[in-house]
Amino acid sequence: MRTRNARDCRCSYVVLLEKNGGTGELRELGNYLSSLGVAGCDVVVLDPAPRPVFESNGRILRWVARHEAVKPEHCTPTGLLDRVRAAASVAACEKVIVASEDIRYSLDAIGRLQDLLDTHEVVEPQDYLEPLPWWGSIEAGRILLHRGIEPQPDHAATFGFRRSALRTMRVFHGTESIDDPVLRLAAAGAEVFVATELFVRRQPGTFDEWIEERPRLAGDDFSLPFKSAFFFSIAPLLLLLGFFGGLRLAGLYAGIIAFASIGLALPGRAGAPGFFS
Protein backbone atom coordinates (compact mmCIF):
# COMPACT_ATOMS: atom_id res chain seq x y z
CA MET A 1 0.00 0.00 0.00
CA ARG A 2 1.32 3.41 -0.86
CA THR A 3 1.74 5.52 2.27
CA ARG A 4 -0.37 8.65 2.08
CA ASN A 5 1.05 12.03 2.87
CA ALA A 6 -0.40 13.27 6.17
CA ARG A 7 -1.61 16.40 4.41
CA ASP A 8 -3.87 14.22 2.27
CA CYS A 9 -5.55 12.60 5.29
CA ARG A 10 -7.96 13.91 7.89
CA CYS A 11 -7.00 11.33 10.52
CA SER A 12 -4.84 8.34 11.35
CA TYR A 13 -6.65 5.09 12.14
CA VAL A 14 -4.56 2.83 14.38
CA VAL A 15 -5.64 -0.73 15.07
CA LEU A 16 -3.90 -3.20 17.38
CA LEU A 17 -3.76 -6.89 16.48
CA GLU A 18 -4.46 -8.77 19.72
CA LYS A 19 -6.09 -11.99 18.54
CA ASN A 20 -4.43 -14.92 16.85
CA GLY A 21 -7.12 -15.32 14.23
CA GLY A 22 -6.71 -17.27 11.06
CA THR A 23 -6.03 -16.05 7.55
CA GLY A 24 -9.74 -15.64 6.88
CA GLU A 25 -10.22 -13.22 9.78
CA LEU A 26 -7.11 -11.30 8.75
CA ARG A 27 -8.36 -10.95 5.18
CA GLU A 28 -11.75 -9.74 6.44
CA LEU A 29 -9.96 -7.12 8.55
CA GLY A 30 -7.88 -6.17 5.52
CA ASN A 31 -11.01 -5.63 3.43
CA TYR A 32 -12.42 -3.32 6.10
CA LEU A 33 -9.17 -1.36 6.43
CA SER A 34 -8.94 -0.94 2.67
CA SER A 35 -12.27 0.93 2.72
CA LEU A 36 -10.83 3.35 5.27
CA GLY A 37 -7.71 3.87 3.19
CA VAL A 38 -9.78 4.63 0.10
CA ALA A 39 -11.77 7.13 2.19
CA GLY A 40 -8.58 9.04 2.98
CA CYS A 41 -7.50 7.69 6.38
CA ASP A 42 -3.87 7.05 7.25
CA VAL A 43 -4.31 3.40 8.31
CA VAL A 44 -1.76 1.79 10.66
CA VAL A 45 -1.77 -1.74 12.08
CA LEU A 46 0.27 -2.33 15.24
CA ASP A 47 1.27 -5.99 15.39
CA PRO A 48 2.89 -7.47 18.55
CA ALA A 49 3.34 -10.91 16.96
CA PRO A 50 6.75 -12.66 16.87
CA ARG A 51 8.79 -12.06 13.73
CA PRO A 52 7.69 -15.13 11.68
CA VAL A 53 4.00 -14.44 12.40
CA PHE A 54 4.52 -10.71 11.87
CA GLU A 55 5.95 -11.33 8.40
CA SER A 56 3.11 -13.71 7.55
CA ASN A 57 0.54 -11.10 8.64
CA GLY A 58 2.37 -8.48 6.62
CA ARG A 59 1.79 -10.37 3.38
CA ILE A 60 -1.91 -9.56 3.79
CA LEU A 61 -1.88 -6.24 5.64
CA ARG A 62 0.88 -4.34 3.86
CA TRP A 63 -1.44 -3.74 0.89
CA VAL A 64 -4.08 -1.96 2.97
CA ALA A 65 -2.15 -0.33 5.84
CA ARG A 66 1.21 0.57 7.29
CA HIS A 67 2.10 -2.62 9.13
CA GLU A 68 4.19 -1.68 12.19
CA ALA A 69 5.76 -3.85 14.89
CA VAL A 70 5.14 -3.02 18.54
CA LYS A 71 8.35 -1.58 20.00
CA PRO A 72 9.58 -1.62 23.61
CA GLU A 73 8.97 2.12 23.94
CA HIS A 74 5.29 1.49 23.15
CA CYS A 75 4.90 -0.42 26.43
CA THR A 76 4.47 0.55 30.07
CA PRO A 77 7.09 -0.38 32.69
CA THR A 78 4.95 -3.44 33.51
CA GLY A 79 5.20 -4.66 29.91
CA LEU A 80 1.62 -3.86 28.82
CA LEU A 81 1.02 -2.01 25.57
CA ASP A 82 0.39 1.70 26.07
CA ARG A 83 -2.15 2.30 23.33
CA VAL A 84 -1.97 6.09 23.65
CA ARG A 85 1.81 6.24 23.42
CA ALA A 86 1.97 3.67 20.63
CA ALA A 87 -0.74 5.28 18.52
CA ALA A 88 0.73 8.77 18.92
CA SER A 89 4.17 7.56 17.83
CA VAL A 90 3.04 5.83 14.62
CA ALA A 91 0.25 8.20 13.52
CA ALA A 92 0.95 10.65 10.72
CA CYS A 93 -2.00 12.96 11.44
CA GLU A 94 -3.04 15.32 14.21
CA LYS A 95 -6.32 13.44 14.77
CA VAL A 96 -5.89 9.81 15.77
CA ILE A 97 -8.56 7.13 16.03
CA VAL A 98 -7.57 4.03 18.01
CA ALA A 99 -9.64 0.87 17.62
CA SER A 100 -9.52 -2.79 18.54
CA GLU A 101 -9.54 -5.17 15.61
CA ASP A 102 -13.21 -6.08 16.07
CA ILE A 103 -14.42 -2.48 15.62
CA ARG A 104 -16.11 -1.61 12.30
CA TYR A 105 -16.64 2.10 11.64
CA SER A 106 -18.96 3.33 8.94
CA LEU A 107 -17.57 6.18 6.88
CA ASP A 108 -20.24 8.45 8.37
CA ALA A 109 -19.12 7.56 11.92
CA ILE A 110 -15.48 8.22 10.99
CA GLY A 111 -16.45 11.65 9.68
CA ARG A 112 -18.53 12.52 12.75
CA LEU A 113 -15.71 11.51 15.10
CA GLN A 114 -13.24 13.63 13.15
CA ASP A 115 -15.61 16.60 13.44
CA LEU A 116 -15.92 16.09 17.21
CA LEU A 117 -12.14 16.13 17.52
CA ASP A 118 -12.20 19.69 16.18
CA THR A 119 -13.65 20.81 19.51
CA HIS A 120 -12.59 18.08 21.97
CA GLU A 121 -9.21 16.66 22.98
CA VAL A 122 -10.46 13.08 23.44
CA VAL A 123 -13.69 11.54 22.15
CA GLU A 124 -15.07 8.10 23.00
CA PRO A 125 -18.03 6.90 20.91
CA GLN A 126 -20.47 4.20 21.99
CA ASP A 127 -19.86 0.74 20.58
CA TYR A 128 -22.60 -1.86 20.14
CA LEU A 129 -22.49 -5.56 19.27
CA GLU A 130 -23.70 -6.99 15.98
CA PRO A 131 -24.44 -9.86 15.48
CA LEU A 132 -25.63 -10.70 18.99
CA PRO A 133 -24.84 -14.17 20.45
CA TRP A 134 -26.31 -15.02 23.86
CA TRP A 135 -23.22 -13.81 25.72
CA GLY A 136 -23.35 -10.69 23.56
CA SER A 137 -26.83 -10.04 24.97
CA ILE A 138 -25.31 -10.00 28.48
CA GLU A 139 -22.66 -7.55 27.25
CA ALA A 140 -25.36 -5.38 25.64
CA GLY A 141 -27.19 -5.33 28.99
CA ARG A 142 -23.97 -4.25 30.70
CA ILE A 143 -23.56 -1.42 28.19
CA LEU A 144 -27.12 -0.19 28.74
CA LEU A 145 -26.74 -0.28 32.54
CA HIS A 146 -23.49 1.66 32.21
CA ARG A 147 -25.22 4.28 30.04
CA GLY A 148 -28.12 4.52 32.50
CA ILE A 149 -26.06 4.70 35.71
CA GLU A 150 -22.86 6.56 34.92
CA PRO A 151 -22.34 7.58 31.27
CA GLN A 152 -18.57 7.91 31.58
CA PRO A 153 -15.80 6.34 29.44
CA ASP A 154 -16.58 2.65 29.03
CA HIS A 155 -13.60 0.34 28.42
CA ALA A 156 -12.40 2.13 25.26
CA ALA A 157 -12.89 -0.40 22.50
CA THR A 158 -12.32 2.66 20.34
CA PHE A 159 -11.59 6.33 20.94
CA GLY A 160 -10.06 9.34 19.23
CA PHE A 161 -7.63 11.98 20.43
CA ARG A 162 -5.60 14.94 19.19
CA ARG A 163 -1.84 14.46 19.30
CA SER A 164 -1.28 18.12 20.18
CA ALA A 165 -3.27 17.65 23.39
CA LEU A 166 -0.67 15.19 24.69
CA ARG A 167 1.98 17.88 24.87
CA THR A 168 0.16 19.68 27.68
CA MET A 169 -0.82 16.62 29.73
CA ARG A 170 0.89 14.31 32.17
CA VAL A 171 -0.11 11.33 30.03
CA PHE A 172 2.97 9.23 30.62
CA HIS A 173 3.66 10.11 34.25
CA GLY A 174 1.87 8.61 37.23
CA THR A 175 -1.05 7.04 35.33
CA GLU A 176 0.59 3.79 34.21
CA SER A 177 -1.53 1.74 36.63
CA ILE A 178 -4.74 2.66 34.74
CA ASP A 179 -5.35 0.12 31.99
CA ASP A 180 -8.23 1.88 30.24
CA PRO A 181 -6.62 4.47 27.91
CA VAL A 182 -9.50 6.96 27.99
CA LEU A 183 -9.69 6.88 31.78
CA ARG A 184 -5.92 7.30 31.79
CA LEU A 185 -6.15 10.34 29.54
CA ALA A 186 -8.85 11.81 31.78
CA ALA A 187 -6.69 11.20 34.87
CA ALA A 188 -3.83 12.98 33.12
CA GLY A 189 -5.95 16.10 32.62
CA ALA A 190 -7.38 15.59 29.13
CA GLU A 191 -10.79 16.96 28.24
CA VAL A 192 -12.83 13.83 27.42
CA PHE A 193 -16.13 13.92 25.55
CA VAL A 194 -18.27 10.77 25.79
CA ALA A 195 -20.18 10.71 22.48
CA THR A 196 -23.19 8.66 23.63
CA GLU A 197 -25.06 9.40 20.40
CA LEU A 198 -22.27 8.26 18.06
CA PHE A 199 -22.52 4.48 17.58
CA VAL A 200 -19.83 2.19 16.20
CA ARG A 201 -20.36 -1.51 15.47
CA ARG A 202 -18.24 -4.07 17.33
CA GLN A 203 -18.08 -7.67 16.22
CA PRO A 204 -18.60 -10.12 19.11
CA GLY A 205 -15.70 -12.39 19.93
CA THR A 206 -15.96 -16.00 20.96
CA PHE A 207 -17.39 -17.04 24.31
CA ASP A 208 -13.87 -17.83 25.60
CA GLU A 209 -12.67 -14.35 24.64
CA TRP A 210 -15.67 -12.80 26.39
CA ILE A 211 -14.90 -14.73 29.58
CA GLU A 212 -11.22 -13.73 29.46
CA GLU A 213 -12.15 -10.04 29.30
CA ARG A 214 -14.29 -10.08 32.47
CA PRO A 215 -11.49 -9.56 35.04
CA ARG A 216 -9.97 -6.64 33.11
CA LEU A 217 -13.32 -4.90 32.61
CA ALA A 218 -14.21 -5.43 36.28
CA GLY A 219 -10.91 -3.83 37.26
CA ASP A 220 -11.62 -0.80 35.06
CA ASP A 221 -14.94 -0.25 36.84
CA PHE A 222 -13.17 0.57 40.13
CA SER A 223 -12.55 4.02 38.65
CA LEU A 224 -16.36 4.55 38.48
CA PRO A 225 -17.25 4.56 42.20
CA PHE A 226 -21.04 4.89 42.00
CA LYS A 227 -21.39 2.04 39.55
CA SER A 228 -18.98 -0.18 41.49
CA ALA A 229 -20.71 0.50 44.83
CA PHE A 230 -24.11 -0.30 43.32
CA PHE A 231 -23.07 -3.68 41.97
CA PHE A 232 -20.89 -4.66 44.94
CA SER A 233 -23.84 -4.11 47.29
CA ILE A 234 -26.18 -6.51 45.51
CA ALA A 235 -24.72 -9.90 46.47
CA PRO A 236 -23.97 -9.13 50.18
CA LEU A 237 -27.47 -7.76 50.71
CA LEU A 238 -29.01 -10.80 49.02
CA LEU A 239 -27.02 -13.15 51.31
CA LEU A 240 -27.94 -11.19 54.44
CA LEU A 241 -31.61 -11.13 53.57
CA GLY A 242 -31.55 -14.85 52.81
CA PHE A 243 -29.86 -15.58 56.14
CA PHE A 244 -31.97 -13.35 58.38
CA GLY A 245 -35.23 -13.08 56.45
CA GLY A 246 -35.51 -16.38 54.64
CA LEU A 247 -35.69 -17.33 50.99
CA ARG A 248 -38.97 -15.50 50.44
CA LEU A 249 -37.54 -12.13 51.44
CA ALA A 250 -34.36 -12.82 49.46
CA GLY A 251 -36.44 -13.71 46.41
CA LEU A 252 -38.42 -10.49 46.77
CA TYR A 253 -35.16 -8.52 46.94
CA ALA A 254 -33.83 -10.31 43.85
CA GLY A 255 -37.03 -9.45 41.99
CA ILE A 256 -36.73 -5.80 42.98
CA ILE A 257 -33.12 -5.76 41.76
CA ALA A 258 -34.18 -7.31 38.44
CA PHE A 259 -36.88 -4.69 37.87
CA ALA A 260 -34.56 -1.90 39.05
CA SER A 261 -31.91 -3.07 36.57
CA ILE A 262 -34.45 -2.92 33.75
CA GLY A 263 -35.47 0.53 34.94
CA LEU A 264 -31.84 1.70 34.89
CA ALA A 265 -31.23 0.17 31.46
CA LEU A 266 -34.21 1.94 29.90
CA PRO A 267 -32.65 5.43 30.22
CA GLY A 268 -29.46 3.92 28.80
CA ARG A 269 -31.42 2.78 25.76
CA ALA A 270 -32.76 6.28 25.18
CA GLY A 271 -31.47 7.53 21.86
CA ALA A 272 -30.22 4.06 20.91
CA PRO A 273 -33.23 1.86 20.02
CA GLY A 274 -31.80 1.11 16.59
CA PHE A 275 -28.68 -0.42 18.14
CA PHE A 276 -30.05 -2.19 21.24
CA SER A 277 -33.13 -4.38 20.96
Side-chain angles (χ1 to χ4, degrees), residues 116 120 122-125 191-196:
L116 288 170
H120 302 284
V122 182
V123 177
E124 182 178 30
E191 181 264 326
V192 176
F193 177 72
V194 182
T196 55

Side-chain angles (χ1 to χ4, degrees), residues 20-105:
N20 294 317
T23 301
E25 292 183 11
L26 206 59
R27 291 189 184 280
E28 192 276 333
L29 174 63
N31 289 335
Y32 161 67
L33 295 178
S34 68
S35 68
L36 300 182
V38 171
C41 294
D42 165 48
V43 183
V44 188
V45 175
L46 277 171
D47 191 348
R51 178 56 57 180
V53 179
F54 177 87
E55 292 176 353
S56 176
N57 293 343
R59 285 193 283 271
I60 297 173
L61 296 172
R62 66 188 179 191
W63 305 106
V64 297
R66 288 193 284 121
H67 184 221
E68 302 277 355
V70 172
K71 300 177 181 178
E73 56 266 29
H74 295 159
C75 299
T76 66
T78 59
L80 298 176
L81 179 70
D82 183 338
R83 284 190 279 172
V84 176
R85 186 198 303 266
S89 68
V90 300
C93 302
E94 162 69 2
K95 299 176 183 178
V96 184
I97 298 175
V98 184
S100 60
E101 60 193 289
D102 53 5
I103 288 292
R104 296 293 181 268
Y105 274 89

